[in-house]
Amino acid sequence: MIPFFFAIALATPAWAAPESFRYDIRLDASSAARDLLEKHLNIYKWQKKNRFTPELLLREIDALPAAATDLLATEGYFDAKVTAKYAVENNTHTVYVNVDLGEQTFVANTSVVLQGPIVEDAERYDVLMQRFNRRGGQLENHPFSQSAWDDFKKRTLQTVQARQYPAASLLSSEALIHPERKEADFNLLIESGPAYVFGPYSIHGLSRYPETLITERIKIEEGQPYSRTELSDLQSEIQNMPQFGTALVDVELAQEPPYIAPIRIDVQEVPLHRLNGSVGYSTNTRFKSEAAYRYHNLFNRGWVFDSQLRLEQLEQAAEVSVILPKARSDWEHRVWGSFLAQDLQGMDSHLYKIGVSRGKKGDEIERVFDLQYQVETRKFQDGSEEQPQSLTLNHIWTQRKLDNRRNPRNGYMVQAEMGGAVKSILSDATFLRLYGRGAYYLRMGQDSQLIAQASLGQTFSKSPEGITSDWLFRAGGSGSVRGYDYQSLGVKSNGSTIGGRVIGTASVEYQHPIIRDWRAAVFVDYGGAGANWQSLDPVTGVGVGARWNSPVGQIGADLAYGVDYQQVRFHFAMGLVF
């Protein structure tokens, strides 16, 4: 029955009603139910709307007990009692909701029955049944939930379909609820269908690029037992190639014996040419502009010609390279040449490089072997000049184990480098350079985060003379020790700051959520570069910053104080450390 005061409210002319109708909600429920109801009940959603009326609220109150009961049943509360009432007290409209959860239902037993040709495949049948028993054991004696039941059905069927039996189907599924015992039984009956093997492949969508780009990546042999993982891996490899925007790899299942699954590969090509440019500002090298051109089918062999030009106030760089498609061994090869001009900390440097690289990328680990020849011209503040050269062989090993590549919340990254040169082979000095760096991400609470970073390196040589700047170390600036100018921490020589043979830096940063995708940050950086460990004079930087988790990665701005130099510097950075 509608309360008398509520009926009066309904009878009030529309023109007399207030423009904005607001109400409070008093929910009497345990924490187990509160989060679920607050997230899904309409009265909470409508509470934030501007256009709402007492009539609509009354309808929601009438429907609320049934809606809440259905929601609670998805978490195993099948005997929940929900009541809702409306009241106006001191001109405040209030909805009172009371929830008595009752006892929660637990999963008592799980059962998966496989039938069909898979029964004759004893090895595969036994493997699957052991897996299902383990998965079911993880559910038993735990609370029932609709999401757990749906996931059990989905994952069980997909497990059967993943290898040899892609046509498997779910014949029946039932979640038997025993109200008197507060128990639930999960029962599945799956028909395996026949065992399939891969058939021949066909490629569709090619017009610009040679077919060998794709055929060289196909490692699936005709007659090989069907595997969904093999198809997914092939699809990922093709889609990651620069010549293709999208790729779809699937099979067509024969309905009659022999049960062969031909592979169909559909691709969408990207244009042959790609040209892009940008302008911006870096606190390290100030105003900058960039242009890049890429051609995706050099010599009609799918080789990629890549060129980049970067003009900044303190740095100018150009690079051209030719990237060969991956070999069947998954190694990728690259031939390149580059030029870098820098005018930093009293040293004017022009560095020319040519090289050959061989690299391999996995899901987590990336390895690169690099042979390069460098020639550098260095001019110092006092007018002196050096022209070192080096022929170096270098190996870079990187591991990224992150929950999210663009915006990591948990995980780590580690990179280790080892390289050097021999004086008698196109080099002015013999040296060995070892360098490592890492970053660790730790999520704290709901949205806060702790980030720790460190780097450590040494170039082993009798003297830094004859070693090109790439193989020495400088620190300072964004991504290093904040609060100090870019590459200002090194060895003072000839009126300039040059690279040293050792480096050691560390950083700890805490980020706290402020609003939506924005976080505030506080940090402490420590470290520097020097001629040797005995003369290394590390410095400290502290500061605050803002972080925006944009669609392309985290963008950060920092205001840092260099404690040792008693100076303030602003830093801007985007993306991960490496």
Side-chain angles (χ1 to χ4, degrees):
M1 172 180 285
I2 303 176
F4 175 72
F5 52 79
F6 194 57
I8 293 176
L10 294 181
T12 303
W15 54 265
E19 294 182 1
S20 145
F21 175 70
R22 292 288 184 265
Y23 59 90
D24 293 333
I25 303 173
R26 298 288 185 264
L27 176 60
D28 183 9
S30 65
S31 58
R34 181 176 294 275
D35 292 343
L36 179 68
L37 298 180
E38 289 180 349
K39 182 177 181 180
H40 295 287
L41 283 180
N42 286 336
I43 60 167
Y44 285 98
K45 298 177 182 178
W46 281 110
Q47 197 177 26
K48 302 175 183 177
K49 303 293 183 181
N50 290 327
R51 296 183 177 180
F52 200 66
T53 64
E55 294 92 339
L56 291 175
L57 180 59
L58 178 62
R59 294 176 189 174
E60 291 298 336
I61 292 173
D62 287 341
L64 188 149
T69 300
D70 290 342
L71 281 172
L72 295 170
T74 65
E75 296 299 319
Y77 297 100
F78 294 101
D79 295 330
K81 302 293 188 297
V82 181
T83 58
K85 66 178 182 178
Y86 172 87
V88 178
E89 301 169 350
N90 299 323
N91 294 323
T92 300
H93 300 263
T94 306
V95 179
Y96 292 92
V97 182
N98 181 268
V99 177
D100 180 6
L101 286 178
E103 292 186 46
Q104 190 174 22
T105 296
F106 281 68
V107 179
N109 298 289
T110 60
S111 170
V112 178
V113 176
L114 290 177
Q115 68 177 38
I118 195 172
V119 176
E120 304 300 324
D121 185 353
E123 182 178 355
R124 181 64 179 157
Y125 179 86
D126 290 342
V127 169
L128 288 176
M129 293 307 299
Q130 291 175 13
R131 188 172 300 173
F132 297 152
N133 289 335
R134 287 196 302 269
R135 187 175 298 163
Q138 294 172 354
L139 293 174
E140 292 172 4
N141 300 317
H142 285 77
F144 168 91
S145 71
Q146 185 65 42
S147 60
W149 167 231
D150 292 340
D151 183 67
F152 181 65
K153 290 186 291 183
K154 179 181 177 181
R155 292 180 60 193
T156 301
L157 181 60
Q158 288 179 341
T159 301
V160 181
Q161 294 173 335
R163 289 182 53 194
Q164 296 179 261
Y165 300 92
S169 59
L170 192 60
L171 292 185
S172 69
S173 62
E174 56 181 2
L176 293 178
I177 309 299
H178 306 285
E180 69 285 353
R181 303 200 306 265
K182 306 301 179 187
E183 293 179 348
D185 295 335
F186 291 170
N187 300 315
L188 300 179
L189 175 60
I190 296 177
E191 166 61 44
S192 70
Y196 282 83
V197 297
F198 283 122
Y201 61 82
S202 60
I203 302 173
H204 306 267
L206 284 177
S207 61
R208 300 187 181 102
Y209 302 109
E211 192 174 89
T212 53
L213 272 178
I214 296 176
T215 58
E216 285 296 313
R217 305 311 309 146
I218 300 175
K219 302 175 184 177
I220 302 172
E221 297 182 1
E222 193 171 341
Q224 177 181 333
Y226 170 90
S227 168
R228 182 69 235 178
T229 301
E230 296 274 4
L231 297 178
S232 298
D233 290 347
L234 177 59
Q235 179 172 299
S236 296
E237 284 202 45
I238 297 174
Q239 191 157 317
N240 288 334
M241 297 175 71
Q243 291 85 357
F244 305 112
T246 60
L248 178 64
V249 180
D250 210 340
V251 294
E252 300 171 352
L253 301 179
Q255 301 301 312
E256 298 179 355
Y259 294 107
I260 297 174
I263 302 171
R264 180 184 173 97
I265 304 171
D266 290 276
V267 296
Q268 183 180 35
E269 299 175 320
V270 302
L272 286 167
H273 306 270
R274 190 181 78 178
L275 178 65
N276 55 48
S278 65
V279 294
Y281 181 82
S282 165
T283 50
N284 284 343
T285 52
R286 302 178 187 171
F287 290 100
K288 63 179 181 178
S289 60
E290 296 183 54
Y293 169 72
R294 174 176 279 195
Y295 180 66
H296 292 108
N297 195 22
L298 193 64
F299 306 130
N300 199 34
R301 302 186 66 175
W303 296 6
V304 177
F305 172 79
D306 202 5
S307 61
Q308 298 177 352
L309 176 64
R310 176 168 51 87
L311 302 177
E312 304 177 78
Q313 284 184 265
L314 301 180
E315 282 187 356
Q316 299 81 45
E319 182 176 305
V320 294
S321 64
V322 175
I323 305 169
L324 279 62
K326 283 184 181 180
R328 282 186 172 268
S329 61
D330 292 334
W331 288 93
E332 184 177 79
H333 297 86
R334 175 173 171 261
V335 181
W336 54 275
S338 69
F339 165 75
L340 175 64
Q342 291 182 317
D343 185 7
L344 295 168
Q345 305 302 320
M347 185 178 74
D348 185 7
S349 167
H350 290 73
L351 180 63
Y352 302 85
K353 297 191 288 187
I354 58 173
V356 179
S357 300
R358 171 179 168 89
K360 186 175 184 178
K361 292 182 179 180
D363 293 337
E364 295 181 1
I365 295 177
E366 177 181 348
R367 290 177 287 170
V368 176
F369 292 91
D370 190 60
L371 178 66
Q372 59 180 268
Y373 175 68
Q374 302 184 359
V375 177
E376 183 180 18
T377 299
R378 294 194 292 239
K379 295 181 179 179
F380 303 103
Q381 194 78 20
D382 63 357
S384 59
E385 183 176 324
E386 294 178 353
Q387 290 185 320
Q389 64 172 345
S390 301
L391 177 65
T392 60
L393 179 64
N394 194 37
H395 175 50
I396 304 173
W397 180 91
T398 307
Q399 182 178 27
R400 299 178 179 90
K401 194 174 183 64
L402 304 167
D403 59 347
N404 185 297
R405 287 290 182 96
R406 289 183 177 177
N407 181 26
R409 305 300 307 277
N410 279 301
Y412 63 87
M413 298 188 294
V414 179
Q415 187 175 85
E417 299 182 27
M418 180 176 67
V422 177
K423 185 175 182 178
S424 59
I425 308 177
L426 293 177
S427 302
D428 291 340
T430 297
F431 62 88
L432 173 66
R433 179 181 182 269
L434 302 179
Y435 177 67
R437 56 179 174 170
Y440 179 71
Y441 298 83
L442 176 64
R443 184 168 186 163
M444 303 177 67
Q446 185 65 26
D447 290 307
S448 299
Q449 186 173 30
L450 186 70
I451 303 174
Q453 302 178 33
S455 69
L456 189 68
Q458 181 169 355
T459 299
F460 297 89
S461 66
K462 294 181 179 179
S463 166
E465 295 181 5
I467 302 177
T468 51
S469 296
D470 260 13
W471 299 90
L472 298 171
F473 303 102
R474 286 191 287 182
S478 178
S480 181
V481 184
R482 288 163 287 189
Y484 301 86
D485 293 332
Y486 179 50
Q487 294 195 0
S488 64
L489 305 177
V491 177
K492 307 298 181 182
S493 176
N494 303 323
S496 307
T497 301
I498 65 174
R501 284 178 289 172
V502 299
I503 189 173
T505 65
S507 173
V508 177
E509 177 173 303
Y510 173 75
Q511 297 180 4
H512 190 77
I514 300 299
I515 182 173
R516 295 184 181 177
D517 295 325
W518 287 88
R519 299 180 198 161
V522 294
F523 58 84
V524 177
D525 297 343
Y526 181 75
N532 50 55
W533 296 116
Q534 291 76 22
S535 63
L536 180 65
D537 186 18
V539 296
T540 302
V542 298
V544 296
R547 305 287 180 265
W548 176 43
N549 294 323
S550 76
V552 296
Q554 189 175 91
I555 298 175
D558 295 317
L559 187 64
Y561 176 66
V563 176
D564 294 76
Y565 290 5
Q566 296 183 357
Q567 61 186 22
V568 176
R569 293 292 183 267
F570 176 77
H571 301 286
F572 178 82
M574 177 177 175
L576 301 181
V577 180
F578 55 93

